[in-house]
Amino acid sequence: MQTASYYKNSGIIPPLAPVLMLTLGVAATWVMAFIYAYAIAYIPFIYISFILTAIFGLGIGVTVNLCGQFGKARNTTFTMTSALVLGLFGVYACWAVWFKAQGAKTGLFISPDILFKLVQFIAAEGAWSIFDSTPTGGALYAVWGIEAAIIIGVALFMVNSSANDTPFCEECKQWADQEKVVGPLAPIMDTHAFKSRIEQGHFQAILDLPLIEDRYIQYTIVKLLSCADFEKSTLFLTVQAVTVEVDEDGKESKDEIDIVKNLIINRAEYDQLLNHEYVQETEHDEDLNDEDFREE
């Protein structure tokens, strides 16, 4: 019986990855912090401010992912640590720029001890008002703590949620981002049984799913992945259950759930799955020939 082998990060951190995090990552975070701090300084609505805070954290997460991708980092601990470090730097940078935006005679970079004293001063005086109330002291520290938690938390969530999304071909030293899609196929009735069959090497479970039209609310998509050097590439299989939802305005949204994600397959299995439609037509023709033979 074949044992399933899924893609796992090798844990390798090429020298270029830390360099990119410390240069492009820091530079991009600083630019985003500059924009964010000035937006916060001039937008009086706290609710919009929290939305901008989440966007800032999202931007840091995207930056980490891009630096990790270009640097070919295959180590989740490294990327998560990078997200944490850049998140903390982002919190510091937006504070430094915010004081500058408020007219303080400081540079864009302030030593941590001076920054802390300025924060204490603002906490005692208050920074903004809401409903005719000006939060100070512990209440203001709590708001700032939530803001920092959002920035860092969103960045960490973004990096963690995308970990192992694209497998890496260690043979060719490239990301396996070349994708061929088979489907849409009929929805899978029993996902647990289906996954078990696939992990045991019974890919007929996929070939048994008939092709359907796009308009179906539920369907299955098969993704076949390889790197750019296909002849040498390690090959991967992902199977997704897709549900289409339509809101009151007629706008569609898709919910994609991975049933099988980045399963390593061989070339014969890749070709068989890629030619799914042809295989189905051949089997259908054979069934018809058998019926004709029986009639004779």
Side-chain angles (χ1 to χ4, degrees):
M1 180 181 295
Q2 179 176 336
T3 302
S5 180
Y6 287 93
Y7 170 75
K8 292 182 180 179
N9 277 330
S10 63
I12 295 174
I13 308 172
L16 179 61
V19 172
L20 289 175
M21 293 292 182
L22 291 173
T23 54
L24 294 180
V26 169
T29 299
W30 191 90
V31 170
M32 290 186 290
F34 186 92
I35 297 171
Y36 169 70
Y38 268 90
I40 293 298
Y42 289 101
I43 295 177
F45 306 108
I46 189 171
Y47 306 109
I48 296 179
S49 297
F50 276 110
I51 293 174
L52 293 175
T53 302
I55 293 174
F56 181 33
L58 183 67
I60 294 174
V62 170
T63 298
V64 172
N65 282 338
L66 289 175
C67 289
Q69 182 179 5
F70 286 115
K72 298 182 178 180
R74 288 96 74 190
N75 188 302
T76 304
T77 301
F78 167 74
T79 53
M80 290 292 286
T81 302
S82 298
L84 176 61
V85 171
L86 288 182
L88 290 170
F89 173 74
V91 172
Y92 157 80
C94 68
W95 267 110
V97 176
W98 184 83
F99 281 114
K100 186 70 175 178
Q102 295 297 322
K105 295 181 179 180
T106 59
L108 290 176
F109 292 97
I110 310 173
S111 64
D113 58 329
I114 295 177
L115 182 63
F116 183 66
K117 290 178 182 178
L118 289 172
V119 169
Q120 287 180 309
F121 174 79
I122 295 298
E125 298 294 325
W128 39 263
S129 298
I130 183 171
F131 300 128
D132 297 325
S133 175
T134 302
T136 58
L140 196 51
Y141 280 121
V143 173
W144 290 337
I146 293 173
E147 178 188 24
I150 291 174
I151 293 172
I152 298 170
V154 171
L156 289 171
F157 176 80
M158 178 68 183
V159 173
N160 184 62
S161 62
S162 59
N164 292 331
D165 273 357
T166 303
F168 191 84
C169 177
E170 296 293 341
E171 177 70 23
C172 304
K173 306 303 179 188
Q174 300 181 70
W175 294 104
D177 55 4
Q178 305 298 304
E179 180 180 283
K180 292 186 180 296
V181 177
V182 178
L185 308 176
I188 299 166
M189 297 297 103
D190 188 339
T191 56
H192 294 291
F194 176 89
K195 182 177 181 179
S196 178
R197 290 188 66 191
I198 297 301
E199 289 178 341
Q200 293 172 21
H202 301 313
F203 294 99
Q204 188 63 38
I206 296 176
L207 300 176
D208 287 340
L209 296 174
L211 288 160
I212 60 176
E213 296 182 10
D214 249 330
R215 65 172 180 266
Y216 280 68
I217 296 176
Q218 292 183 322
Y219 57 89
T220 304
I221 285 293
V222 174
K223 296 181 179 179
L224 301 172
L225 303 171
S226 69
C227 73
D229 191 352
F230 179 76
E231 295 303 321
K232 297 180 181 179
S233 177
T234 304
L235 306 173
F236 305 92
L237 165 70
T238 291
V239 181
Q240 293 180 326
V242 183
T243 302
V244 180
E245 296 182 354
V246 182
D247 61 20
E248 296 178 352
D249 299 325
K251 185 177 180 180
E252 290 188 357
S253 61
K254 294 181 181 179
D255 181 26
E256 300 175 345
I257 299 176
D258 293 324
I259 299 174
V260 175
K261 182 177 180 180
N262 295 334
L263 179 72
I264 299 173
I265 60 176
N266 61 41
R267 198 161 298 276
E269 293 163 342
Y270 180 99
D271 292 338
Q272 184 184 35
L273 295 172
L274 184 62
N275 294 319
H276 176 280
E277 184 174 5
Y278 172 75
V279 170
Q280 281 202 335
E281 290 177 351
T282 302
E283 289 178 347
H284 179 66
D285 291 342
E286 289 176 353
D287 291 340
L288 290 178
N289 291 335
D290 289 343
E291 289 178 4
D292 294 340
F293 181 77
R294 287 194 294 270
E295 289 177 0
E296 292 178 359

